Structure formats: structure tokens, C-alpha cells
Amino acid sequence: MAPIRVPDTLETDRLVLRPRRVEEAATYRRLWTERDPRVPEHRRIDAHGRPTVADIAAGVDGEPGLLAVHRRATAELIGYCGLTLHGSERSDEPELAFELLRAAHGRGYATEAGRAVVEWARESGCPRLWATVWDWNVASRRVLEKLEFDETGTVLAESTHGRSMLTVRHL
Ligand SMILES: CC(C)(COP(=O)(O)OP(=O)(O)OC[C@H]1O[C@@H](n2cnc3c(N)ncnc32)[C@H](O)[C@@H]1OP(=O)(O)O)[C@@H](O)C(=O)NCCC(=O)NCCS
């Protein structure tokens, strides 16, 4: 498959998605502070306050497929949604990822952003997209269901954090 080209913008009725910028790192760190306590420690802010805003800023360019999600009406940054193009479970088949600030939950934004990203993947010639989700993450599982991902039955990890389940979307 040809490399996936990252778009300048993806637009939906209420949202604009575009490549993340280093200056947005404070908002991406806020997402870390809002994570559910069941999320494993390496994905949470540690006792020393790490990752810091600077740590997160340093990683922004390394994930070019994750797009900033802005509300179209206000230009407010509410999180990210996109494709993990490097380091995903299967590098030729990217993984869908999304995370929004709590204040923006419950309005259909993740589903709306996710639909635009799925369409981007389809137009790029991806045969499949993957997503992993914790069994307890009801909101995310519902978003994936609305985006027509199927549960594969594969459990990637099982621990005190829960079961990490692999889902797939055929395009
Ligand atoms: C997952 C997440 C992105 C969803 O964002 P969102 O914009 O609120 O999602 P949407 O509004 O598009 O859809 C959420 C759906 O889950 C449902 N839902 C949310 N919480 C729920 C709960 N506790 N029980 C049952 N359903 C729930 C909503 O009702 C909605 O479904 P509906 O449209 O059928 O009513 C957001 O919760 C988030 O950022 N969570 C933390 C990060 C995360 O989990 N990322 C995904 C990792 S796999």
C-alpha cells in the first residue's frame, strides 16, 4: 500500500481536523490528566508530573496521523482523532485513535471526527483499520460500534487494568 498522505484539513458539519501543532501540547497534556484511573500508569501523569508539556510537545511530530480536533464554530481545540501511522500493531494497517476533553464529551464529536478519519483511510486505499479498547470503556466501545468496527475476539492484554480488545473495520 502507498504511504498515507496526511491531509491539511478534514471538515465535518461541526468540526475541523488538521495536523497537530507543538503549541497545542498543553491541551494534549490536559487529556492525560483527565484519563480514567484504570488506564495503565505509563499512559498517566506520574508522581514527578511527567510527561510535562515539553515532553508532549517533543512527541507531536512523531505522530503525524493524529489530527487536532477543533470545533468549527469557536475554533476551540477539543482533542485529537486520527491514525497511528507508526508503531501500530500492524504498520501497514493503521490504528484509529481518539481522545477528547471531558468538557466536549457526549455531543457526538468523537463519532463525527471518527467518520471523517475512516473516510480518509478509505480514500487512501487502506483495506482495514484497527482499534484497541479496554472492555470497561463503554463510551469508546460505543463510538467504535457506531463507526462499524467489529470486535475480533482477540484480547491483546489482560490485567488489573481490564481486557484490551482488538476491533477491526473493513473498508
Ligand atoms: C471515547 C470518547 C472519545 C467519546 O467521545 P464522545 O464525543 O463523547 O463520543 P460520542 O458522543 O460520539 O459517542 C459516545 C457514545 O457512547 C455513549 N456512552 C457514553 N458514556 C456511556 C456510558 N457510561 N454508558 C453507556 N453509553 C455511554 C453515548 O451515549 C454515545 O452513544 P449514543 O450516540 O448511542 O448515545 C471520550 O469519552 C474520551 O475521550 N474518552 C477518553 C479517551 C478514550 O477512551 N479514548 C478511546 C481509547 S480506545
Side-chain angles (χ1 to χ4, degrees), residues 118-155:
V118 168
E119 196 47 38
W120 161 35
R122 188 207 312 280
E123 286 172 0
S124 299
C126 281
R128 275 173 296 276
L129 280 182
W130 302 90
T132 55
V133 63
W134 293 105
D135 53 353
W136 47 261
N137 194 341
V138 187
S140 184
R141 288 178 70 176
R142 177 72 185 127
V143 170
L144 291 170
E145 184 184 6
K146 289 192 285 183
L147 295 176
E148 299 173 61
F149 278 71
D150 296 319
E151 294 193 356
T152 62
T154 299
V155 175

Side-chain angles (χ1 to χ4, degrees), residues 31 34-36 80 96-102 104-112 131-134 136-144 146:
L31 291 169
E34 293 186 349
R35 283 184 181 157
D36 189 287
Y80 66 82
L96 177 74
F98 45 77
E99 187 168 17
L100 301 181
L101 292 171
R102 282 183 189 267
H105 290 183
R107 295 180 204 159
Y109 288 146
T111 306
E112 189 168 322
T132 55
V133 63
W134 293 105
W136 47 261
N137 194 341
V138 187
S140 184
R141 288 178 70 176
R142 177 72 185 127
V143 170
L144 291 170
K146 289 192 285 183

Side-chain angles (χ1 to χ4, degrees), residues 41-110:
E41 286 73 17
H42 73 279
R43 301 272 298 155
R44 313 251 319 274
I45 304 287
D46 73 14
H48 307 290
R50 291 225 131 119
T52 62
V53 172
D55 294 331
I56 288 177
V60 162
D61 290 341
E63 286 284 7
L66 296 183
L67 304 177
V69 179
H70 299 264
R71 290 182 60 207
R72 188 197 277 271
T74 59
E76 177 194 357
L77 176 63
I78 59 170
Y80 66 82
C81 179
L83 301 176
T84 301
L85 301 176
H86 304 288
S88 61
E89 292 294 319
R90 290 152 188 82
S91 56
D92 55 331
E93 293 175 2
E95 189 167 344
L96 177 74
F98 45 77
E99 187 168 17
L100 301 181
L101 292 171
R102 282 183 189 267
H105 290 183
R107 295 180 204 159
Y109 288 146

